[in-house]
Amino acid sequence: MKTFIKHIAIFGFLMSFFSANAQETEKIYLSGKGKDDMVKWDFYCSAGQNSGKWTKIGVPSCWELQGFGKYDYGFAKDSLRGKETAKYRYHFNVPANYKNRVVQIVFEGVFTDATVKINGKLAGPTHQGAYYAFRYNISKLLKYGADNLLEVDVAKHSANESVNDAERRGDFWLFGGVFRPVYLEVLPQQHITELAIDAKASGVLKAQLSFTGKADEIQMDLLDANGKAFGKKFSQKIDGGQSAFLNANFENPKLWSAEFPNLYIAKFSLLNKGKVLHQIDKKIGFRTIEVKERDGVYVNGVKMKFKGVNRHSFWPTSGRTTSKAQSVEDVKLMKDMNMNAVRMAHYPPDAHFLDVCDSLGLYVMDELAGWHGHYDTPTGKKLLKEMMTHDVNHPSIIFWANGNEGGHNLDLDRYFKEWDIQNRPVVHPWANYGGFDTQHYRQYNYGIGNYMNGHDIVMPTEFLHGLYDGGHGAGLDDYWEAMWNKPTSAGGFLWVFADEGVVRTDKDGIIDTDKDRGPDGIVGPFHEKEGSYFTIKEVWSPVHFEAREMTAGFDGKFNIENRYDFTNINQCSFTWELKKFNLLDNSLAKPILSGKSNAPDIKPHAKGVLNIDLPKDWFSYDALYITAKDVNQHEIFTWSFPISKPNQISKAILNQAKANNKVTYSSIGESFLVKVKNLQIKINRSTGILESVNNENREIPFNNGPVLQEGANNFKGFTAKMDADTLVIASVFNKKESYNTLQWSVYPNGFIQLKVKYFPGEFYTWFAGVNFSFPESEIKGVEYMGNGPYRVWKNRMKGTEFGVWHKDYNNTETGEIPFVYPEFKGYHSNMYWCKFLTKGQDFKVLAADEDTFLRLFTPRFMDDQWHNYVPLFPTGDISFMQAIPSIGNKTQTAESTGPMGQKNIYYDYEKSPERAKELTLYFDFTGND
């Protein structure tokens, strides 16, 4: 009752306002506008949760998320799927002064068949197809100035099997309900019914209008972003009929692109004998899309490389019901990853998402639904018309997609052309159609063959399929460099933006990804950022830094490439920082030095030099950081360049340790027993393996190493001797039997050096390095100097930042509950030192070599049915590696993702000792800070 009174009050307030604006379209919401402001309607569900009774439900919503019906993923057997139906009722009031106007009821989206009644009478035929706005003229069914009853009968499973084939048999969650907004659209009797606009980069604008009633003129005014008139008013006389065309020309409009999404408001007025009958405002952008055969896609005359991602309309607590705020968040996250394009997978999105793409700047591929099946032609034709009428004027849309992966109704292709005034290109995702080879999940070598030797424009509409921690950033560096440098490549679209983890109201609120089917995202269900997020951000940065080592001879010059399409680098800004860290601490040894650098004049797609004016003592710092910001002062990326080397840091730490204790040793059974003050260690005399560590009679359970991974543990012939005040325990080299060597050196300050010289076991190998044992139950966290905070894979090295990081232990595996990132377990690159924080005594390990990987334990094993993902980890618990494996994804093995995905290659040089790999570590078990 409160809701009813509230709406009467709103209508009463609007009556006087609307009477003064009768020539404009008015919109009165009967539902909320999205997931955050649902309006309660009466509701009855036929089966599943909370069924068989009248109750209340928020609208718009997917009824499963409101505690009704049955959850199903799209691969569920048809015989097991929930096919419940539902009834909705809602009372609303219509002001009396609407009686002489046209009132339409508009549904933006209903899963799946919707039969609508007003005051007990059918509003029109049942609508079939979920993702398309549909409307009924209900003017003659309403009671003006009185209460009206809206009834909607909804069938989740369509009576049209082609609709089920296109929308409900696919790799995504299935829902039921009035999931997008419902509103009344109030119009003058004589009004514009359809409007399509084509605004070219040249300033030429064409508009096509349809209308009802009698009119003799159409007028258009254009307003800029500040609401000021741009150019003159254009008008066109109408010589009978119910349609009109208007041509206009504007000088030097600001063009629309993803980098500069300049919008104008076009105000169209329908007139008769000088009287305005109806006015419509549309936001438009001037831009030209051109496809050049066997060349590429051009926007405003510039050849494009699309840095895209596929996106489902999805939120864990509301399913496919979203909101304007979520659309803003989604687009901002995409642009923060330096993306410039998004594909609507696999259906048209909410109107507000396209509005946000228009205003913030993303190129859009809008898609007629069809996963692997498609609509029959009559149904598809009707739904395509609804989609194009709804979406045609968005400047962000530069492609249409006719279904997905075989779900293409070829009979519909002609209508894309006929009904689109802009004549945008049409693609068949995963097929070769219209000059576009869009094949999905091509292996790197297969794709490279096409990029180098193919003929059509190559633009995979899905590639590097995410799964848990695989895909996306893992392999992207290889793919993108190939795409960037090959003329016929137009970029591509990663799969997919977010994990589809849905809150199960029938399972105590757990987040369900349907095993390995839903955790495919770059971000988690609630937009938790995974490691690939930052890899993509760096790889797709429009400011591309050439690799540069920091040496004493560095002159402050960085070679950079401008990978923007329309932005000069001098429109960006650059700042730098120098940091010096305290030893074995995350605090700073001295204040940060910072400055600004002049942004060089580098045109789009050109190369140049960025000069950093550093102070004379810059080489005394540990790292240089450079941050680039775009024209809107949003961060593009922050690059880190280590200045200090691991051996410098380890020497400094060793030099500050006091060396006033005597080292003693003895042979006890099969072990060397070594003592330094309160520290006691045991090393096996035959294998050189560390057997135990005790400090002050307290065990530190770090042991059973070093064990070479994928190498021969053939250390032999150990001897122990004093070298001045240092104990050296070393194996002997024998080219046939013991070509790998191991040496322990125990110093008076309690530090223990480990030096291993070894040859990896195979020419092609996943691993190179050594393992130790440490009980996972005893670890609390780590602090380390190196790249972080996210873990890496061989084919996903970018996106981290050099520094000192603190990581608390977690048991997270990517894409699984509890979605806590960054993950603790895994490989961490460029380790300088690590402090292991334990439930007992903490200890430290220093690396003397560059490019040492710290491996922390083994994540829970995850895989897919094709065994492509396969995360590989060495034995033991804690490792210090010099080569690590890559990671696969849902559709590709690791090795098929490019050169970085392949195994490491090492030649053994016939076991010549000077060519052996060398790993040097220092251990501190003393407990001293």
Side-chain angles (χ1 to χ4, degrees):
M1 185 65 182
K2 289 182 180 179
T3 302
F4 177 66
I5 294 172
K6 177 182 175 183
H7 278 267
I8 290 177
I10 292 172
F11 280 122
F13 166 76
L14 292 173
M15 282 176 64
S16 60
F17 175 80
F18 291 155
S19 63
N21 295 273
Q23 70 271 45
E24 295 181 355
T25 303
E26 300 156 16
K27 186 182 288 187
I28 312 299
Y29 279 88
L30 304 182
S31 70
K33 295 182 180 180
K35 66 183 179 66
D36 301 321
D37 63 349
M38 296 181 290
V39 172
K40 293 292 185 180
W41 290 15
D42 295 325
F43 183 71
Y44 180 97
C45 186
S46 69
Q49 297 182 86
N50 295 310
S51 60
K53 60 185 178 182
W54 279 99
T55 182
K56 297 286 186 179
I57 193 171
V59 179
S61 67
C62 299
W63 65 53
E64 296 83 358
L65 279 302
Q66 301 302 307
F68 300 95
K70 182 178 185 293
Y71 283 83
D72 282 306
Y73 199 82
F75 290 150
K77 291 182 179 180
D78 194 70
S79 60
L80 300 178
R81 291 186 185 190
K83 297 179 181 179
E84 63 270 20
T85 61
K87 296 179 181 295
Y88 292 81
R89 294 189 309 208
Y90 185 70
H91 290 268
F92 64 99
N93 186 276
V94 177
N97 67 338
Y98 281 2
K99 191 170 185 178
N100 295 319
R101 306 187 71 188
V102 174
V103 181
Q104 300 185 134
I105 188 167
V106 181
F107 292 79
E108 287 284 337
V110 179
F111 288 118
T112 299
D113 291 357
T115 304
V116 179
K117 294 179 182 179
I118 302 293
N119 297 321
K121 297 181 179 180
L122 282 173
T126 296
H127 186 272
Q128 297 175 326
Y131 301 100
Y132 310 89
F134 61 96
R135 52 181 39 80
Y136 301 107
N137 185 339
I138 59 172
S139 305
K140 296 180 179 181
L141 303 178
L142 294 170
K143 299 175 184 178
Y144 294 94
D147 176 59
N148 292 269
L149 174 63
L150 165 64
E151 297 174 279
V152 188
D153 290 347
V154 177
K156 183 159 89 169
H157 189 81
S158 179
N160 184 328
E161 279 304 309
S162 79
V163 172
N164 295 321
D165 284 341
E167 298 181 2
R168 307 194 65 78
R169 295 185 178 108
D171 192 359
F172 38 76
W173 286 102
L174 306 180
F175 300 108
V178 180
F179 74 103
R180 287 179 179 167
V182 182
Y183 53 88
L184 298 180
E185 195 173 61
V186 186
L187 304 133
Q189 288 289 341
Q190 296 161 293
H191 60 268
I192 298 168
T193 58
E194 192 170 343
L195 171 63
I197 305 165
D198 182 18
K200 297 294 189 186
S202 62
V204 172
L205 183 148
K206 297 179 181 180
Q208 181 177 355
L209 302 93
S210 299
F211 57 90
T212 63
K214 184 179 180 180
D216 59 16
E217 186 180 4
I218 191 77
Q219 293 181 353
M220 189 197 71
D221 297 279
L222 198 65
L223 305 180
D224 65 15
N226 298 314
K228 295 182 179 180
F230 182 78
K232 67 178 184 178
K233 180 191 295 285
F234 286 85
S235 64
Q236 178 67 49
K237 293 297 181 181
I238 301 171
D239 297 324
Q242 305 297 141
S243 63
F245 295 87
L246 183 143
N247 296 309
N249 200 342
F250 297 90
E251 290 188 10
N252 300 316
K254 292 182 178 179
L255 303 186
W256 189 95
S257 67
E259 293 170 28
F260 295 99
N262 296 302
L263 294 173
Y264 291 85
I265 297 176
K267 300 178 73 70
F268 288 86
S269 300
L270 184 70
L271 298 91
N272 190 44
K273 296 180 180 179
K275 180 183 178 181
V276 176
L277 305 175
H278 188 208
Q279 290 182 331
I280 288 182
D281 293 354
K282 287 290 182 182
K283 288 185 177 180
I284 66 168
F286 287 89
R287 54 103 180 93
T288 297
I289 311 302
E290 182 182 8
V291 177
K292 295 184 179 181
E293 185 180 6
R294 299 191 174 195
D295 181 9
V297 182
Y298 289 75
V299 174
N300 302 335
V302 177
K303 192 173 183 179
M304 304 304 298
K305 301 283 188 181
F306 296 109
K307 301 180 291 184
V309 69
N310 287 265
R311 174 194 182 261
H312 274 294
S313 299
F314 183 79
W315 191 249
T317 58
S318 58
R320 307 250 178 264
T321 302
T322 63
S323 66
K324 176 72 173 288
Q326 185 188 330
S327 290
V328 171
E329 180 183 350
D330 284 9
V331 173
K332 283 186 173 180
L333 286 168
M334 292 174 194
K335 290 187 72 72
D336 187 59
M337 285 186 278
N338 293 310
M339 295 174 173
N340 65 5
V342 59
R343 176 188 171 211
M344 302 294 95
H346 297 289
Y347 41 80
D350 300 90
H352 50 69
F353 184 80
L354 296 175
D355 290 339
V356 175
C357 291
D358 291 343
S359 61
L360 296 184
L362 275 182
Y363 302 115
V364 174
M365 179 180 290
D366 201 3
E367 187 161 314
L368 183 73
W371 188 66
H372 286 182
H374 60 72
Y375 302 113
D376 62 48
T377 299
T379 304
K381 184 177 178 182
K382 179 179 181 293
L383 296 177
L384 174 59
K385 181 63 175 177
E386 291 174 350
M387 179 181 86
M388 296 188 74
T389 300
H390 190 266
D391 297 347
V392 69
N393 293 315
H394 288 280
S396 56
I397 297 174
I398 64 171
F399 291 105
W400 301 113
N402 183 357
N404 169 72
E405 293 186 352
H408 323 295
N409 184 334
L410 305 185
D411 292 339
L412 300 179
D413 286 326
R414 56 176 286 203
Y415 299 110
F416 283 95
K417 299 293 184 182
E418 289 181 16
W419 294 339
D420 183 13
I421 192 173
Q422 298 181 24
N423 195 28
R424 297 171 176 93
V426 179
V427 299
H428 292 177
W430 98 337
N432 194 323
Y433 173 81
F436 289 92
D437 182 353
T438 62
Q439 181 171 327
H440 292 174
Y441 309 121
R442 59 185 70 233
Q443 294 188 354
Y444 178 85
N445 285 331
Y446 178 95
I448 293 304
N450 262 27
Y451 298 142
M452 290 183 175
N453 304 312
H455 303 292
D456 291 313
I457 299 167
V458 178
M459 186 181 68
T461 38
E462 296 176 27
F463 77 110
L464 291 176
H465 195 307
L467 176 63
Y468 304 128
D469 206 24
H472 304 137
L476 182 61
D477 202 10
D478 281 333
Y479 272 76
W480 187 244
E481 288 309 303
M483 290 173 167
W484 181 259
N485 289 295
K486 302 309 172 186
T488 55
S489 169
F493 296 80
L494 297 168
W495 185 271
V496 62
F497 174 62
D499 289 340
E500 277 215 14
V502 66
V503 171
R504 294 293 297 260
T505 57
D506 59 341
K507 294 185 177 181
D508 297 323
I510 67 164
I511 297 176
D512 185 2
T513 60
D514 198 42
K515 300 178 181 178
D516 66 349
R517 288 170 176 156
D520 299 343
I522 302 165
V523 297
F526 289 99
H527 290 175
E528 303 90 340
K529 295 176 182 177
E530 300 176 7
S532 274
Y533 182 98
F534 301 96
T535 306
I536 295 165
K537 185 177 175 69
E538 180 174 3
V539 173
W540 275 351
S541 166
V543 178
H544 180 75
F545 274 75
E546 183 179 280
R548 183 66 198 257
E549 293 287 328
M550 297 290 99
T551 63
F554 174 60
D555 58 3
K557 298 182 186 297
F558 287 91
N559 294 326
I560 64 173
E561 181 180 3
N562 182 356
R563 293 188 171 182
Y564 276 114
D565 299 309
F566 302 99
T567 305
N568 191 305
I569 292 295
N570 62 19
Q571 295 172 272
C572 302
S573 62
F574 294 87
T575 57
W576 56 266
E577 289 185 342
L578 286 168
K579 292 183 181 180
K580 176 71 174 179
F581 299 99
N582 279 314
L583 299 175
L584 295 171
D585 197 343
N586 61 0
S587 62
L588 295 171
K590 51 185 177 180
I592 295 173
L593 279 184
S594 62
K596 296 181 179 181
S597 296
N598 292 327
D601 180 5
I602 306 175
K603 295 179 180 179
H605 301 174
K607 297 181 179 181
V609 175
L610 173 69
N611 286 294
I612 306 293
D613 187 16
L614 296 174
K616 291 182 179 179
D617 65 341
W618 72 269
F619 203 55
S620 66
Y621 287 80
D622 290 326
L624 168 67
Y625 302 85
I626 300 176
T627 298
K629 293 185 177 180
D630 67 14
V631 66
N632 297 309
Q633 288 302 293
H634 297 142
E635 184 197 68
I636 298 170
F637 194 73
T638 294
W639 295 264
S640 53
F641 300 89
I643 298 170
S644 299
K645 303 297 184 289
N647 62 344
Q648 294 174 272
I649 299 297
S650 59
K651 285 180 181 178
I653 294 171
L654 290 168
N655 288 338
Q656 74 175 9
K658 295 180 180 179
N660 55 1
N661 299 304
K662 184 177 180 180
V663 180
T664 63
Y665 75 97
S666 59
S667 296
I668 300 178
E670 293 298 316
S671 304
F672 293 116
L673 179 63
V674 184
K675 296 182 180 180
V676 186
K677 198 178 179 181
N678 296 320
L679 177 67
Q680 179 176 293
I681 66 171
K682 279 186 178 181
I683 295 173
N684 187 280
R685 293 171 58 191
S686 299
T687 64
I689 293 294
L690 178 66
E691 295 179 325
S692 66
V693 180
N694 283 269
N695 188 42
E696 296 182 341
N697 295 319
R698 187 177 184 183
E699 182 186 9
I700 300 172
F702 182 85
N703 51 47
N704 195 32
V707 175
L708 288 171
Q709 185 72 25
E710 291 194 1
N713 289 277
N714 56 3
F715 310 122
K716 294 181 179 179
F718 284 92
T719 60
K721 65 178 182 179
M722 297 298 300
D723 183 1
D725 56 2
T726 300
L727 171 65
V728 178
I729 299 173
S731 68
V732 297
F733 173 80
N734 181 289
K735 200 168 187 177
K736 291 185 177 181
E737 295 182 353
S738 56
Y739 45 80
N740 294 325
T741 60
L742 165 61
Q743 177 178 295
W744 294 98
S745 299
V746 184
Y747 298 103
N749 58 16
F751 274 87
I752 302 167
Q753 183 199 64
L754 169 67
K755 182 175 289 188
V756 181
K757 292 185 176 182
Y758 67 102
F759 297 92
E762 301 290 340
F763 184 68
Y764 295 103
T765 181
W766 282 125
F767 299 99
V770 300
N771 308 313
F772 289 85
S773 296
F774 186 85
E776 187 177 326
S777 60
E778 291 297 306
I779 196 75
K780 295 195 304 184
V782 294
E783 288 180 0
Y784 72 97
M785 186 177 195
N787 293 336
Y790 283 83
R791 68 188 186 190
V792 299
W793 302 94
K794 181 174 180 284
N795 56 349
R796 198 190 75 192
M797 297 292 289
K798 289 186 175 179
T800 58
E801 181 176 299
F802 180 79
V804 177
W805 304 98
H806 177 97
K807 296 185 73 170
D808 292 324
Y809 173 84
N810 64 54
N811 197 29
T812 297
E813 180 47 37
T814 320
E816 293 288 306
I817 297 170
F819 302 98
V820 175
Y821 304 119
E823 305 89 340
F824 181 79
K825 300 178 184 180
Y827 303 104
H828 299 74
S829 62
N830 203 20
M831 172 196 143
Y832 281 48
W833 54 261
C834 182
K835 185 186 297 184
F836 293 85
L837 310 176
T838 79
K839 294 177 181 178
Q841 181 194 294
D842 299 343
F843 63 95
K844 311 178 193 78
V845 181
L846 319 179
D849 309 298
E850 293 182 87
D851 304 319
T852 299
F853 295 92
L854 168 65
R855 173 273 188 122
L856 295 173
F857 303 101
T858 300
R860 184 171 70 257
F861 183 76
M862 311 293 286
D863 199 2
D864 62 281
Q865 59 183 309
W866 302 281
H867 308 299
N868 290 323
Y869 178 67
V870 193
L872 299 176
F873 284 87
T875 58
D877 304 300
I878 293 173
S879 305
F880 306 94
M881 311 299 294
Q882 294 180 306
I884 62 171
S886 53
I887 187 71
N889 57 58
K890 185 172 281 189
T891 60
Q892 293 172 255
T893 62
E895 290 178 277
S896 71
T897 64
M900 296 182 196
Q902 296 175 1
K903 287 186 175 182
N904 304 283
I905 301 175
Y906 292 104
Y907 185 60
D908 67 1
Y909 298 98
E910 297 182 345
K911 305 298 188 293
S912 178
E914 65 272 13
R915 301 305 299 267
K917 290 192 68 63
E918 185 171 319
L919 176 67
T920 302
L921 302 169
Y922 294 91
F923 299 87
D924 179 9
F925 300 111
T926 65
N928 298 325
D929 292 331

